[in-house]
Amino acid sequence: FCLENTDPRTRGRGIQLLSQVLLQCYSLLQEKEVLHLVLFYESRLQDHHLVIPSVLQGLRALSMCEVLSPGLAVSVLKAIFQEVHVQSLLQLDRYTVYSIITNFMSTREEELKGLGANFTFGFIQVMDGEKDPRNLLVAFQIVRDLISKDYALGPFVEELFEVTSCYFPVDFTPPPNDPHGIQREDLILSLRAVLASTPQFAEFLLPLLIEKLDSELQSAKLDSLQTLTACCAIYGQKELQEFLPSLWSSLRREVFQTASEKIETECLAALHALSACLSRSVLSSDSEDLLDSFLSSILQDCRHHLCEPDMKLVWPSAKLLQAAAGASLRTFHRITRSVLPLLLEQYTKHTQSSQRRTILEMLLGFLELQQKWGYVEEDENALLSLQAPVCSVVFSALMDPSVQLQLVGIKALTVLGSLQGFLTSSDLELVVDHLIRLALHEEDSQSSEAAMEAAGSMAPTYPKVFSGRMVPRLEEELQSEREESSYNHHSLQQRCLQALAAVSTHTSIVRETVPVLLQHLQKVQKGTEARNTQEMVSVCQSLHHVALQCQQDAEGCWYFHQTVVPCLLAMAVQAAMQESTHTLPGKALLEEEVLAAMIPVISAATTHLSPELAAQSVSHIVPLFLDGEVSFLPQNSFPSSFQPFGDGECLEAQRRLVALLMAFVCSLPRDVTIPQQEWLLRELLALSCSCNCPFTATTAAKCFAGLVNKHPAGQQLDEILQVAVNRMEPILAEGPRRTQALTLLLWVTKALVLRYHPLSSCLTDKLLGLLGDTELGPATADGFSLLMAESPDVLHKSCHADVRIMFRQRFFTDNVPKLVQGFHGAGPDVKANYLKGLSHVLNHLPKPVLVTELPTLLSLLLEALSCSDRVVQLSTLSCLHPLLLEAPQVMSLHVDTLVTKFLNLTSSPTMAVRIAALRCAHALTSLPTTVLLPYKGRVIRALAKPLDDKKRLVRKEAVAARGEW
């Protein structure tokens, strides 16, 4: 009834219903049914304009049918091209037409190609005048497919170009709260893919790009340059020939005149792409060599600027030359042949360090390009013929008093060193001498550090030179006893140690440097001077540096481990044995600072061992601590037995060495079995609860926690944890060792929280209960920072700990409501503990999570600012600072309170709090201006006072904040 009705609206509703049904069940139709429906819908295209949208929906359903008879796709498209004026339809209906075309192109490609250029012409008519960005993205994709799938364009190439290029450059700003999420960048990239899809567009596109390059609009210039770069990937000489002079002229002008770094970068990328495109083109014997003439133009316009006395256009010219030279080996040789001799001549001609530095930086740019192409000794290579003058210039820069020139010289030296075969053996000896001089004796630390870094990067290429010449010289300097002031001697020794570590980047060199470092450590240990502690720490830092550099090389890693770890253990055991007095250890090697410096050395030497080698090592080290088995240690004749877990005050020094056991066992891969592990865990547990020395008790607790974290789940683990809980509870309740028990509880809780162990919630509840304890409350609150933060020596991923990815979010969800509840129910003397614990948790939470929870927690954070505890104040301020930047709408609701609190804290007696408060006052300026204006005068007046603060860092923050207000 509806389909035959004389009223077009009723007919439209009938066809709409049929089309909606077809969209649901098109896959179930048979071939005859599809034919019948297609013929019906085609005839309806001639119907009243109100009916057309529903007809198109039906055709879209039919275009997805797999049983469409041959010829029907062409028939439908012809009917649409002929009967429908697409651009007069609404956006959704135009989108439907593009969808029909897209469907047929993906399933009926050969049939459509049978239409020849008529299909292209029909599509041009459909697209002409399209304005909606949603439709344009689909239309651009159709044009890309037309070109990439070789549809016939016939005489319509220019028309197809015109119908798409009219949108260039794209000028589109998405409306606020746009639900479709189409960005300007999406349209730019989609259109660029069309324009740069075929060389057939070149004759129309290149004049357009040149025209837009000469416009005043920055975005148009950027888009043109990026499109030009994209086109060069598919163009050849033929397409570019006519336009090269204009293109070069525009690029040169932009680089010489532009103030925009972005435009300069894109110009250089376009020049690089043009040069690469011309380099790729295969020449026929009678054609002109366009590349040669193009490079001649570049050299003619840029080369003379390198010689100008004011050096005004030196850098723009050098950048253009380097962009072209980096395009291919041929362009590199052509340009360097002309430019390198000139730069070397200019370096000699200029005497000022600043000018020499500029010239050497340009030279460095060309040397880095040579590095990119690889150094090949051949006739064409300009660098080979200039080997002596290049080395001479670089060496002279290294001798110059100017630090900035030295730094560029060191960079150039590193690049020359990477060109295999460029430096002769006598040059290399000179290189090593220069690097030693700069590393050890150059006053400026920048040059010294750069020289060490250069030695490290060159050593793997020339291991024999560095191990044979540099290492012995450094060893000699390290051992020399000097007359000069003790400070200078100490500084020189520090640098020697750093240089030995820096150069250890090859296994053969590591075998030379490690014995030198260990020998020096033994020498320092025997000394009696006051600064021995600091020197031992320095040696350990150098050993740690070497260990990190060995980690990726299995051979070097194992050599380091089996040489260094037993040696450090032997020295420590020896020192502990000699310490027979009842006073705390006075030997430098047993001081906390030195043991703390040894921990990362042993850890780094262990984490990358293969399971087989780690098992070999663990079979020696654990029996050393449990059974006193010292036979594997070098120089193992000790005066008495080693019993770190034994009783008695005289063993206090030996117990401290549990720190080294922790460094080793907590860094082992998880699949390595630890011998006598249950016994070891019980000994560690006992030591952590009973030891008088806080350092020993803490390291024992950490070691216990590290092992528990990796222990396989099951009955054994549950039993160990139960023993630990039973041991801690009575000590936590009362007695002199409550602090040690709290430390153990914190570390065990952390070990279990990281691996989502069920017992972790029970232990966390114990901690929450201790926040209300007047004696342990403040330390427990600080412990929440330990639970959430990265731990440097145990319980982190690089030590193979079991760390689940979202443990912080889970801890937050489970425990913050309890913290808030505890705060509200706590007495006034312990309320601060809950705030401190909360601020530590929030401080370590990922910011996006924090922003979502902000409304419920903000009132509590504001209350925390009134707390007198400076740790609470600091933690809260550091929590609020990013929230002011990331959640301005929520924070705006509390602006009055925030302004008052921040201004009050700018006069805090603690410098760190004053700085944090000023940073927050500064961050307030990211809130909406209308919210801030009522407070402007008051804040500016209040921020005048910290401008006179006695601390420079406070004054600096005050200037920044007040200026912004």
Side-chain angles (χ1 to χ4, degrees):
F1 163 76
C2 286
L3 295 179
E4 294 178 340
N5 199 294
T6 53
D7 176 32
R9 280 185 177 78
T10 309
R11 280 204 309 285
R13 282 206 300 279
I15 294 174
Q16 185 184 15
L17 174 61
L18 178 59
S19 296
Q20 284 172 344
V21 170
L22 288 176
L23 281 166
Q24 296 291 328
C25 69
Y26 64 85
S27 60
L28 308 174
L29 297 175
Q30 295 168 15
E31 191 173 346
K32 279 183 182 176
E33 293 168 333
V34 174
L35 172 63
H36 186 72
L37 286 162
V38 166
L39 295 174
F40 166 72
Y41 272 107
E42 276 183 15
S43 68
R44 290 302 89 202
L45 285 172
Q46 297 167 3
D47 204 332
H48 194 278
H49 70 88
L50 289 173
V51 174
I52 299 301
S54 300
V55 175
L56 291 172
Q57 286 295 350
L59 287 171
R60 181 166 78 87
L62 294 169
S63 72
M64 294 187 278
C65 288
E66 289 179 15
V67 293
L68 199 69
S69 304
L72 285 184
V74 170
S75 166
V76 169
L77 288 179
K78 274 184 175 175
I80 290 174
F81 293 159
Q82 200 170 329
E83 304 296 345
V84 183
H85 183 248
V86 175
Q87 287 307 316
S88 66
L89 300 172
L90 293 173
Q91 179 271 327
L92 183 62
D93 303 324
R94 300 199 304 278
Y95 189 87
T96 304
V97 174
Y98 294 125
S99 300
I100 294 168
I101 295 172
T102 303
N103 292 340
F104 283 146
M105 283 179 80
S106 62
T107 58
R108 299 283 187 271
E109 186 178 325
E110 292 309 315
E111 286 182 42
L112 300 193
K113 283 182 176 175
L115 273 171
N118 289 336
F119 176 55
T120 305
F121 180 65
F123 174 71
I124 290 169
Q125 286 179 304
V126 166
M127 183 185 170
D128 195 6
E130 181 59 69
K131 287 187 175 61
D132 191 279
R134 291 164 287 181
N135 292 352
L136 282 173
L137 284 177
V138 187
F140 290 156
Q141 182 60 53
I142 291 171
V143 180
R144 286 221 300 277
D145 289 343
L146 281 174
I147 292 164
S148 66
K149 293 180 178 174
D150 291 325
Y151 282 79
L153 305 185
F156 304 117
V157 173
E158 188 171 0
E159 284 78 0
L160 188 61
F161 173 76
E162 291 297 337
V163 85
T164 49
S165 65
C166 61
Y167 301 101
F168 183 86
V170 170
D171 179 23
F172 168 67
T173 307
N177 307 320
D178 176 23
H180 309 293
I182 294 174
Q183 298 298 315
R184 181 168 171 267
E185 192 64 20
D186 301 328
L187 288 166
I188 287 173
L189 294 174
S190 193
L191 176 57
R192 185 177 301 150
V194 170
L195 297 178
S197 62
T198 172
Q200 295 180 73
F201 284 167
E203 60 180 302
F204 317 114
L205 177 59
L206 290 172
L208 176 66
L209 294 181
I210 292 165
E211 178 197 326
K212 299 299 179 190
L213 265 175
D214 297 345
S215 75
E216 292 302 310
L217 203 63
Q218 279 234 353
S219 58
K221 288 184 178 185
L222 275 174
D223 207 349
S224 302
L225 290 164
Q226 288 165 346
T227 305
L228 174 61
T229 303
C231 289
C232 288
I234 60 157
Y235 286 3
Q237 289 213 12
K238 180 163 68 79
E239 287 78 24
L240 291 172
Q241 184 162 11
E242 183 188 338
F243 305 101
L244 276 176
S246 306
L247 285 168
W248 164 239
S249 162
S250 298
L251 292 174
R252 183 191 62 213
R253 183 195 65 241
E254 288 303 325
V255 173
F256 280 171
Q257 294 176 8
T258 187
S260 161
E261 205 175 305
K262 268 188 180 175
I263 286 181
E264 183 189 85
T265 304
E266 293 301 338
C267 281
L268 297 173
L271 179 59
H272 181 280
L274 280 170
S275 307
C277 176
L278 296 173
S279 303
R280 275 197 310 272
S281 301
V282 179
L283 297 177
S284 55
S285 54
D286 57 344
S287 64
E288 180 196 352
D289 184 357
L290 274 185
L291 177 64
D292 200 57
S293 54
F294 184 59
L295 295 178
S296 296
S297 309
I298 296 174
L299 284 164
Q300 186 183 335
D301 291 344
C302 294
R303 197 173 179 275
H304 63 278
H305 290 305
L306 303 181
C307 310
E308 288 170 1
D310 61 354
M311 302 183 85
K312 196 171 168 187
L313 288 173
V314 159
W315 264 120
S317 303
K319 284 176 180 175
L320 287 165
L321 288 164
Q322 284 168 7
S328 68
L329 197 53
R330 194 170 156 220
T331 58
F332 175 75
H333 288 316
R334 175 80 175 80
I335 286 176
T336 50
R337 256 202 324 273
S338 172
V339 172
L340 285 188
L342 183 68
L343 289 175
L344 294 168
E345 182 191 315
Q346 289 299 306
Y347 185 90
T348 317
K349 194 182 284 184
H350 289 284
T351 52
Q352 284 184 17
S353 293
S354 59
Q355 293 172 324
R356 286 189 154 193
R357 177 189 159 200
T358 303
I359 294 162
L360 188 57
E361 279 178 333
M362 289 188 283
L363 185 65
L364 174 62
F366 287 105
L367 292 177
E368 283 169 341
L369 290 174
Q370 176 75 73
Q371 197 178 17
K372 172 187 169 184
W373 295 114
Y375 179 67
V376 187
E377 296 187 34
E378 53 181 36
D379 300 338
E380 205 181 351
N381 199 320
L383 196 56
L384 185 61
S385 58
L386 298 168
Q387 196 260 0
V390 166
C391 286
S392 165
V393 160
V394 172
F395 290 150
S396 83
L398 299 178
M399 299 292 288
D400 196 274
S402 159
V403 172
Q404 296 308 317
L405 182 53
Q406 282 176 14
L407 291 173
V408 182
I410 292 167
K411 276 188 195 166
L413 190 64
T414 310
V415 176
L416 290 179
S418 69
L419 306 175
Q420 195 82 42
F422 182 81
L423 296 171
T424 64
S425 55
S426 57
D427 287 336
L428 282 169
E429 288 179 4
L430 203 51
V431 165
V432 171
D433 294 346
H434 276 302
L435 290 176
I436 292 172
R437 177 183 56 78
L438 290 166
L440 302 187
H441 305 294
E442 179 54 49
E443 276 183 35
D444 189 272
S445 61
Q446 273 182 293
S447 292
S448 172
E449 285 164 19
M452 290 182 202
E453 201 178 315
S457 65
M458 289 172 75
T461 316
Y462 310 101
K464 282 184 180 172
V465 180
F466 279 87
S467 61
R469 191 173 181 87
M470 189 166 190
V471 177
R473 289 274 300 279
L474 291 171
E475 184 179 6
E476 195 181 307
E477 290 281 4
L478 192 60
Q479 291 173 348
S480 63
E481 299 293 339
R482 292 178 172 261
E483 296 295 315
E484 67 211 85
S485 76
S486 110
Y487 173 78
N488 284 347
H489 179 49
H490 180 58
S491 170
L492 178 68
Q493 290 214 319
Q494 284 276 83
R495 284 194 176 182
C496 280
L497 294 170
Q498 288 166 357
L500 281 165
V503 80
S504 304
T505 48
H506 188 274
T507 305
S508 66
I509 301 173
V510 171
R511 289 177 184 275
E512 303 291 330
T513 54
V514 163
V516 174
L517 290 167
L518 291 175
Q519 197 180 339
H520 186 67
L521 187 62
Q522 287 163 339
K523 178 186 165 188
V524 176
Q525 186 200 3
K526 288 168 188 164
T528 52
E529 293 175 44
R531 64 154 194 275
N532 278 6
T533 302
Q534 192 46 51
E535 207 157 319
M536 283 186 164
V537 170
S538 299
V539 179
C540 290
Q541 285 168 345
S542 289
L543 283 168
H544 181 227
H545 190 169
V546 178
L548 293 174
Q549 288 171 170
C550 288
Q551 283 180 339
Q552 302 312 317
D553 170 54
E555 184 196 344
C557 185
W558 178 235
Y559 166 77
F560 185 91
H561 182 87
Q562 64 176 357
T563 308
V564 174
V565 175
C567 182
L568 292 182
L569 288 171
M571 289 169 67
V573 170
Q574 182 78 44
M577 298 282 198
Q578 290 166 353
E579 194 63 44
S580 56
T581 59
H582 291 283
T583 57
L584 264 182
K587 280 246 181 288
L589 194 68
L590 298 173
E591 286 186 21
E592 282 179 30
E593 210 182 332
V594 179
L595 289 172
M598 283 185 178
I599 289 169
V601 179
I602 295 174
S603 180
T606 307
T607 52
H608 284 63
L609 288 181
S610 68
E612 300 75 37
L613 295 174
Q616 194 177 322
S617 195
V618 80
S619 67
H620 294 306
I621 292 173
V622 172
L624 166 69
F625 281 85
L626 288 178
D627 307 318
E629 179 52 65
V630 296
S631 57
F632 82 102
L633 297 177
Q635 304 150 359
N636 54 22
S637 55
F638 300 116
S640 58
S641 60
F642 180 56
Q643 299 171 298
F645 294 115
D647 295 330
E649 280 188 41
C650 61
L651 298 174
E652 188 62 67
Q654 294 186 20
R655 289 191 201 109
R656 294 168 88 81
L657 303 194
V658 169
L660 306 184
L661 172 68
M662 174 197 79
F664 173 71
V665 292
C666 292
S667 303
L668 290 167
R670 252 186 274 176
D671 50 0
V672 174
T673 307
I674 295 170
Q676 303 168 298
Q677 186 169 4
E678 311 313 313
W679 180 18
L680 178 60
L681 283 164
R682 288 173 193 277
E683 293 286 12
L684 289 166
L685 181 61
L687 187 60
S688 64
C689 292
S690 62
C691 182
N692 294 322
C693 168
F695 174 77
T696 306
T698 303
T699 48
K702 285 161 76 171
C703 189
F704 181 82
L707 292 172
V708 159
N709 172 265
K710 293 183 196 175
H711 199 294
Q715 189 183 348
Q716 264 189 329
L717 177 62
D718 296 341
E719 284 173 8
I720 292 160
L721 291 172
Q722 195 53 55
V723 170
V725 172
N726 294 345
R727 186 78 186 247
M728 284 186 281
E729 279 183 337
I731 305 173
L732 278 170
E734 58 182 348
R737 294 212 170 91
R738 296 184 76 201
T739 309
Q740 279 103 311
L742 174 63
T743 303
L744 177 62
L745 175 61
L746 284 166
W747 281 104
V748 174
T749 306
K750 183 179 176 76
L752 300 182
V753 163
L754 292 178
R755 64 180 278 178
Y756 291 178
H757 190 279
L759 186 63
S760 62
S761 55
C762 168
L763 298 185
T764 310
D765 288 343
K766 286 188 193 300
L767 289 171
L768 290 167
L770 287 170
L771 287 172
D773 185 295
T774 47
E775 184 191 344
L776 291 181
T780 307
D782 285 330
F784 278 84
S785 173
L786 185 150
L787 294 179
M788 301 295 280
E790 287 289 331
S791 164
D793 44 12
V794 291
L795 296 178
H796 59 100
K797 279 192 172 171
S798 60
C799 285
H800 312 288
D802 186 355
V803 181
R804 304 300 169 90
I805 52 171
M806 295 178 78
F807 79 90
R808 290 186 180 89
Q809 287 90 318
R810 182 167 173 167
F811 188 86
F812 171 87
T813 311
D814 291 348
N815 297 298
V816 164
K818 297 176 188 175
L819 275 168
V820 174
Q821 189 183 348
F823 169 79
H824 289 306
D829 53 338
V830 292
K831 265 189 185 303
N833 298 338
Y834 289 90
L835 286 176
K836 193 193 285 191
L838 177 67
S839 60
H840 283 314
V841 173
L842 298 182
N843 241 323
H844 291 95
L845 204 62
K847 292 299 170 271
V849 180
L850 193 50
V851 170
T852 57
E853 300 291 340
L854 185 58
T856 54
L857 294 170
L858 193 54
S859 57
L860 206 57
L861 286 170
L862 294 174
E863 197 167 335
L865 288 177
S866 306
C867 176
S868 58
D869 187 310
R870 63 189 177 85
V871 177
V872 175
Q873 292 172 348
L874 257 180
S875 296
T876 311
L877 289 168
S878 61
C879 223
L880 289 170
H881 183 265
L883 296 174
L884 288 163
L885 305 172
E886 291 169 35
Q889 299 309 320
V890 182
M891 301 303 266
S892 297
L893 304 173
H894 301 268
V895 66
D896 192 65
T897 314
L898 288 167
V899 167
T900 307
K901 303 268 189 196
F902 294 158
L903 293 182
N904 287 344
L905 290 172
T906 58
S907 52
S908 160
T910 308
M911 181 179 89
V913 173
R914 297 201 298 279
I915 290 173
L918 287 164
R919 282 182 183 154
C920 287
H922 188 169
L924 276 173
T925 58
S926 62
L927 303 186
T929 310
T930 47
V931 174
L932 298 176
L933 282 174
Y935 303 93
K936 180 179 169 181
R938 175 186 161 195
V939 173
I940 290 174
R941 281 193 302 277
L943 292 181
K945 187 186 171 193
L947 291 177
D948 280 337
D949 197 281
K950 58 181 183 288
K951 295 291 185 183
R952 183 183 63 82
L953 291 173
V954 178
R955 296 197 298 272
K956 182 182 167 191
E957 293 296 341
V959 168
R962 194 167 185 267
E964 201 61 43
W965 273 91

